[in-house]
PDB file of all heavy atoms in Angstrom:
ATOM      1  N   GLY A  93      -1.104 -27.280  27.476  1.00  0.00           N
ATOM      2  CA  GLY A  93       0.240 -27.588  27.957  1.00  0.00           C
ATOM      3  C   GLY A  93       0.396 -27.245  29.425  1.00  0.00           C
ATOM      4  O   GLY A  93      -0.387 -26.490  29.999  1.00  0.00           O
ATOM      5  N   GLU A  94       1.424 -27.809  30.032  1.00  0.00           N
ATOM      6  CA  GLU A  94       1.674 -27.622  31.456  1.00  0.00           C
ATOM      7  C   GLU A  94       1.798 -26.136  31.798  1.00  0.00           C
ATOM      8  O   GLU A  94       2.570 -25.399  31.187  1.00  0.00           O
ATOM      9  CB  GLU A  94       2.954 -28.349  31.868  1.00  0.00           C
ATOM     10  CG  GLU A  94       3.227 -28.335  33.355  1.00  0.00           C
ATOM     11  CD  GLU A  94       2.175 -29.091  34.154  1.00  0.00           C
ATOM     12  OE1 GLU A  94       1.583 -30.045  33.602  1.00  0.00           O
ATOM     13  OE2 GLU A  94       1.941 -28.718  35.309  1.00  0.00           O
ATOM     14  N   GLY A  95       0.999 -25.700  32.791  1.00  0.00           N
ATOM     15  CA  GLY A  95       1.072 -24.313  33.232  1.00  0.00           C
ATOM     16  C   GLY A  95       0.413 -23.323  32.297  1.00  0.00           C
ATOM     17  O   GLY A  95       0.656 -22.118  32.391  1.00  0.00           O
ATOM     18  N   ARG A  96      -0.442 -23.802  31.399  1.00  0.00           N
ATOM     19  CA  ARG A  96      -1.077 -22.910  30.424  1.00  0.00           C
ATOM     20  C   ARG A  96      -2.593 -23.052  30.474  1.00  0.00           C
ATOM     21  O   ARG A  96      -3.120 -24.154  30.498  1.00  0.00           O
ATOM     22  CB  ARG A  96      -0.597 -23.254  29.005  1.00  0.00           C
ATOM     23  CG  ARG A  96       0.872 -22.999  28.749  1.00  0.00           C
ATOM     24  CD  ARG A  96       1.164 -21.543  28.565  1.00  0.00           C
ATOM     25  NE  ARG A  96       2.561 -21.279  28.278  1.00  0.00           N
ATOM     26  CZ  ARG A  96       3.084 -20.051  28.162  1.00  0.00           C
ATOM     27  NH1 ARG A  96       2.308 -18.984  28.280  1.00  0.00           N
ATOM     28  NH2 ARG A  96       4.361 -19.892  27.925  1.00  0.00           N
ATOM     29  N   PHE A  97      -3.276 -21.912  30.463  1.00  0.00           N
ATOM     30  CA  PHE A  97      -4.740 -21.903  30.388  1.00  0.00           C
ATOM     31  C   PHE A  97      -5.219 -21.493  28.999  1.00  0.00           C
ATOM     32  O   PHE A  97      -6.419 -21.397  28.755  1.00  0.00           O
ATOM     33  CB  PHE A  97      -5.336 -20.920  31.403  1.00  0.00           C
ATOM     34  CG  PHE A  97      -4.949 -21.207  32.829  1.00  0.00           C
ATOM     35  CD1 PHE A  97      -4.897 -20.186  33.752  1.00  0.00           C
ATOM     36  CD2 PHE A  97      -4.640 -22.495  33.250  1.00  0.00           C
ATOM     37  CE1 PHE A  97      -4.551 -20.432  35.087  1.00  0.00           C
ATOM     38  CE2 PHE A  97      -4.287 -22.763  34.567  1.00  0.00           C
ATOM     39  CZ  PHE A  97      -4.242 -21.727  35.480  1.00  0.00           C
ATOM     40  N   GLY A  98      -4.287 -21.210  28.104  1.00  0.00           N
ATOM     41  CA  GLY A  98      -4.638 -20.775  26.763  1.00  0.00           C
ATOM     42  C   GLY A  98      -3.439 -20.921  25.855  1.00  0.00           C
ATOM     43  O   GLY A  98      -2.340 -21.281  26.293  1.00  0.00           O
ATOM     44  N   PRO A  99      -3.603 -20.647  24.558  1.00  0.00           N
ATOM     45  CA  PRO A  99      -2.489 -20.783  23.601  1.00  0.00           C
ATOM     46  C   PRO A  99      -1.362 -19.803  23.915  1.00  0.00           C
ATOM     47  O   PRO A  99      -1.615 -18.659  24.301  1.00  0.00           O
ATOM     48  CB  PRO A  99      -3.137 -20.487  22.245  1.00  0.00           C
ATOM     49  CG  PRO A  99      -4.372 -19.716  22.561  1.00  0.00           C
ATOM     50  CD  PRO A  99      -4.843 -20.210  23.890  1.00  0.00           C
ATOM     51  N   ALA A 100      -0.131 -20.262  23.726  1.00  0.00           N
ATOM     52  CA  ALA A 100       1.047 -19.447  24.031  1.00  0.00           C
ATOM     53  C   ALA A 100       1.600 -18.840  22.752  1.00  0.00           C
ATOM     54  O   ALA A 100       2.000 -19.564  21.832  1.00  0.00           O
ATOM     55  CB  ALA A 100       2.108 -20.295  24.715  1.00  0.00           C
ATOM     56  N   GLU A 101       1.618 -17.509  22.675  1.00  0.00           N
ATOM     57  CA  GLU A 101       2.212 -16.817  21.543  1.00  0.00           C
ATOM     58  C   GLU A 101       3.704 -16.637  21.796  1.00  0.00           C
ATOM     59  O   GLU A 101       4.109 -16.143  22.849  1.00  0.00           O
ATOM     60  CB  GLU A 101       1.550 -15.452  21.344  1.00  0.00           C
ATOM     61  CG  GLU A 101       0.068 -15.515  21.034  1.00  0.00           C
ATOM     62  CD  GLU A 101      -0.537 -14.138  20.866  1.00  0.00           C
ATOM     63  OE1 GLU A 101       0.178 -13.232  20.372  1.00  0.00           O
ATOM     64  OE2 GLU A 101      -1.705 -13.947  21.238  1.00  0.00           O
ATOM     65  N   ALA A 102       4.517 -17.048  20.851  1.00  0.00           N
ATOM     66  CA  ALA A 102       5.967 -16.970  21.019  1.00  0.00           C
ATOM     67  C   ALA A 102       6.420 -15.529  21.232  1.00  0.00           C
ATOM     68  O   ALA A 102       6.055 -14.635  20.473  1.00  0.00           O
ATOM     69  CB  ALA A 102       6.660 -17.560  19.786  1.00  0.00           C
ATOM     70  N   GLY A 103       7.205 -15.316  22.284  1.00  0.00           N
ATOM     71  CA  GLY A 103       7.766 -13.991  22.547  1.00  0.00           C
ATOM     72  C   GLY A 103       6.785 -12.975  23.076  1.00  0.00           C
ATOM     73  O   GLY A 103       7.105 -11.781  23.153  1.00  0.00           O
ATOM     74  N   GLN A 104       5.583 -13.403  23.463  1.00  0.00           N
ATOM     75  CA  GLN A 104       4.564 -12.457  23.897  1.00  0.00           C
ATOM     76  C   GLN A 104       5.011 -11.657  25.118  1.00  0.00           C
ATOM     77  O   GLN A 104       4.864 -10.428  25.163  1.00  0.00           O
ATOM     78  CB  GLN A 104       3.271 -13.206  24.214  1.00  0.00           C
ATOM     79  CG  GLN A 104       2.104 -12.310  24.604  1.00  0.00           C
ATOM     80  CD  GLN A 104       0.854 -13.099  24.919  1.00  0.00           C
ATOM     81  OE1 GLN A 104       0.884 -13.995  25.754  1.00  0.00           O
ATOM     82  NE2 GLN A 104      -0.238 -12.792  24.248  1.00  0.00           N
ATOM     83  N   GLU A 105       5.550 -12.335  26.124  1.00  0.00           N
ATOM     84  CA  GLU A 105       5.941 -11.652  27.360  1.00  0.00           C
ATOM     85  C   GLU A 105       7.069 -10.653  27.111  1.00  0.00           C
ATOM     86  O   GLU A 105       7.073  -9.558  27.682  1.00  0.00           O
ATOM     87  CB  GLU A 105       6.365 -12.675  28.424  1.00  0.00           C
ATOM     88  CG  GLU A 105       5.242 -13.573  28.914  1.00  0.00           C
ATOM     89  CD  GLU A 105       4.993 -14.751  27.990  1.00  0.00           C
ATOM     90  OE1 GLU A 105       5.820 -14.969  27.063  1.00  0.00           O
ATOM     91  OE2 GLU A 105       3.983 -15.469  28.179  1.00  0.00           O
TER      92      GLU A 105
END
Side-chain angles (χ1 to χ4, degrees):
E94 186 65 29
R96 294 284 182 185
F97 302 152
E101 298 179 33
Q104 183 181 54
E105 294 83 10

